[in-house]
Amino acid sequence: MLHDRLVLTLLWRELLAGLRSMRRRDLAWIGLGGSALFAYAMADIVVALQAGAATLRQAQPLWTFGLPGALLGLGGLAGNALARLCLSRAFAPFLKALPLSLVERRRMATVAAYALGIPIALIVAATMGLGCFVIGKPLALVWGLGAAILFGAGFWATALLRLRNARCLVHFDNCDLAREPGGRQSLLGPFDRAAPAWLSSWAWGLPAGQVTLSWRLVGAAMLFGFVAAVAASISLARHDAVPAAMVALTGGVLVFMASARFHPLGSPVLRTAPLGFAKAWLRLARLPLQLSVAYFLLPAGAALAAEPSAWAMPLASGFWLMVLNGAYAVFAAYFMTAPFVAALSFLGAIAYTSYESLEYGRTVVIGFAALVLFLWYRAQRRYRHG
C-alpha cells in the first residue's frame, strides 16, 4: 500500500519536467494557439450538429449500435494505452532496486491507470451530454451517463486484461537484448542491418531482431490480412478498383503508424554519434516503410487486376501512401517518446485539413505542409541541441 501512488507520482513528475524543459514562448504558442484552434473547432462542430440535428435525432441505428460500439472501442483503446503507459513506469529499470514484488508493481500500475481513466470518462460523459443538448436530444444527462458507463466498461476490460499480463514484462527485462539466442538467424536481419545496424530492433525492443510472437501481433496480422482479403475479393467480384485501392492506402498508413517508433532520437547514445538527424530519421522509418509497402502491394495488385483501365488509382494511392507515411514520421519524430500522442495529433490534423478543404478547397493542404515543416524543424533542433 505504501507504493501504490508511485506510478502516478512518476507520471506527474515527468509532466512537470517536460513543461519546465520547454521555453515560455513555446508554451505560450501551445496554450494560446491551441486554445484558439480548439474554440474554433468546437464552434464548427456545434454549427454542424445544429444543422443536422433533425437527422441525428431520427437515426436510431446510430443511437442503438453506432455510438455504443464506438464508445466501447474508444474505451478499449484508451484502457490499453494507459495500462501500457503505467506498466512501463511500474517496471522501469531504475525501480529494480526497490523491493517491490510483481503484485505490488501491478497494483501500482492499476491504481495509476484507473485514476487517469476516471477524468477521461467524465470528459466523455460531458461531451456526450453537451452534444445531445445541442441537437435537442431528450434526456441529455442520461445519455452522458450512459456514455461514461460504456466508455468505462471498455476501458476496464482492456486495462484489466493488459495489467494481468504484466508477468511478461518481468521475463522481458531479464532477457539479453544484445545477442541472438541460440545462434539462430534473426528474422529481421536482412532488413535491419543497414548502417547503423539494428536501429529499428532497438526502437522496438527486440533482442537482435528476434521477433517474439504474441497475441497482439497475431491478432493485428489476422485483422489486417482479413480486411485486405475482403477488399481484394470485393474489387475482383465487382471489377471495381476503388475498395481495394482505398484499403491499400488506409491499411498501409495504419501499418506504418503502428510500427514506427522514433524514441531513439532522444537517446544520448544516438545523438552523440556522428549521425545526422535526417539519416537517423530515415533509418528509423525504413523498416516500418517496408512493412507498409508490403501490406499495400496485395490490395493494390488486386485493384489493378480488377480494373486494369483504372491503373492511375493504385498509382495515386501509392503516392499518397508515401506522402502520409512521411508526414506521420515527422509527427512521430517530434513526439518521439509518445507515439499515441503523435498518432492522435496526426489523425486530428488530417481530419481538420480534410474538413476545411471542403470549404476552402485544396489550398488548405499548404497549411498542413507548413505544420509538417515546422515539426521537422523543431524535431531537428531537439536532436541537435537537446
Side-chain angles (χ1 to χ4, degrees):
M1 301 294 292
L2 180 63
H3 303 286
D4 284 355
R5 298 175 58 187
L6 181 57
V7 171
L8 277 175
T9 302
L10 289 176
L11 293 174
W12 175 248
R13 296 292 183 180
E14 288 181 18
L15 176 62
L16 292 180
L19 293 176
R20 289 170 182 168
S21 65
M22 299 179 65
R23 296 180 298 180
R24 293 182 179 179
R25 184 176 62 182
D26 294 335
L27 290 174
W29 273 108
I30 293 173
L32 298 177
S35 299
L37 287 176
F38 180 77
Y40 180 69
M42 289 299 101
D44 276 355
I45 292 173
V46 169
V47 171
L49 288 176
Q50 290 176 343
T55 304
L56 290 174
R57 286 196 302 267
Q58 297 173 2
Q60 292 302 323
L62 173 67
W63 301 96
T64 306
F65 303 105
L67 282 176
L71 289 168
L72 284 172
L74 183 62
L77 291 175
N80 182 67
L82 283 180
R84 181 179 181 181
L85 174 67
C86 296
L87 284 173
S88 67
R89 300 307 184 272
F91 289 88
F94 61 86
L95 294 182
K96 287 182 178 180
L98 295 179
L100 297 173
S101 64
L102 172 64
V103 175
E104 291 174 318
R105 292 177 187 270
R106 192 159 51 193
R107 187 171 61 239
M108 287 161 42
T110 302
V111 170
Y114 290 121
L116 294 175
I118 291 174
I120 298 177
L122 294 177
I123 293 174
V124 171
T127 303
M128 186 69 178
L130 289 175
C132 293
F133 176 77
V134 168
I135 65 174
K137 181 75 174 175
L139 302 175
L141 293 178
V142 176
W143 280 104
L145 179 61
I149 293 174
L150 289 171
F151 178 88
F155 184 96
W156 176 82
T158 56
L160 183 64
L161 181 62
R162 185 65 185 252
L163 292 166
R164 283 190 173 182
N165 292 333
R167 195 177 302 274
C168 64
L169 293 179
V170 179
H171 178 267
F172 179 78
D173 285 341
N174 293 331
C175 67
D176 185 8
L177 299 180
R179 64 180 179 86
E180 299 182 24
R184 294 176 297 172
Q185 185 176 1
S186 170
L187 179 63
L188 299 181
F191 309 100
D192 199 27
R193 283 183 175 172
W198 305 115
L199 195 55
S200 291
S201 297
W202 175 22
W204 290 351
L206 300 178
Q210 293 290 345
V211 179
T212 304
L213 293 180
S214 63
W215 66 269
R216 287 194 305 147
L217 180 61
V218 174
M222 292 178 62
L223 176 62
F224 279 100
F226 175 75
V227 172
V230 170
S233 301
I234 293 174
S235 290
L236 292 173
R238 296 182 179 180
H239 301 287
D240 184 8
V242 174
M246 293 302 297
V247 168
L249 174 60
T250 306
V253 174
L254 291 178
V255 167
F256 184 86
M257 293 174 63
S259 58
R261 294 292 182 270
F262 286 83
H263 62 84
L265 292 176
S267 172
V269 176
L270 190 63
R271 288 171 49 204
T272 55
L275 185 67
F277 173 77
K279 187 174 182 180
W281 179 79
L282 288 172
R283 184 63 185 81
L284 285 169
R286 178 180 176 180
L287 191 55
L289 184 60
Q290 290 175 344
L291 292 175
S292 175
V293 172
Y295 179 83
F296 172 84
L297 289 178
L298 175 61
L304 184 61
E307 194 176 0
S309 59
W311 57 269
M313 185 174 295
L315 186 63
S317 297
F319 170 77
W320 283 110
L321 176 71
M322 294 300 182
V323 171
L324 293 176
N325 284 348
Y328 176 73
V330 175
F331 275 79
Y334 180 77
F335 300 99
M336 60 181 68
T337 58
F340 185 70
V341 177
L344 286 181
S345 303
F346 175 72
L347 294 177
I350 291 293
Y352 188 72
T353 302
S354 302
Y355 173 75
E356 292 296 336
S357 64
L358 298 176
E359 183 176 356
Y360 299 106
R362 296 182 179 179
T363 54
V364 180
V365 179
I366 299 176
F368 179 76
L371 174 63
V372 172
L373 291 176
F374 173 75
L375 294 181
W376 169 271
Y377 171 73
R378 296 297 303 166
Q380 188 180 41
R381 284 184 58 84
R382 185 184 303 172
Y383 179 80
R384 290 178 177 177
H385 306 292

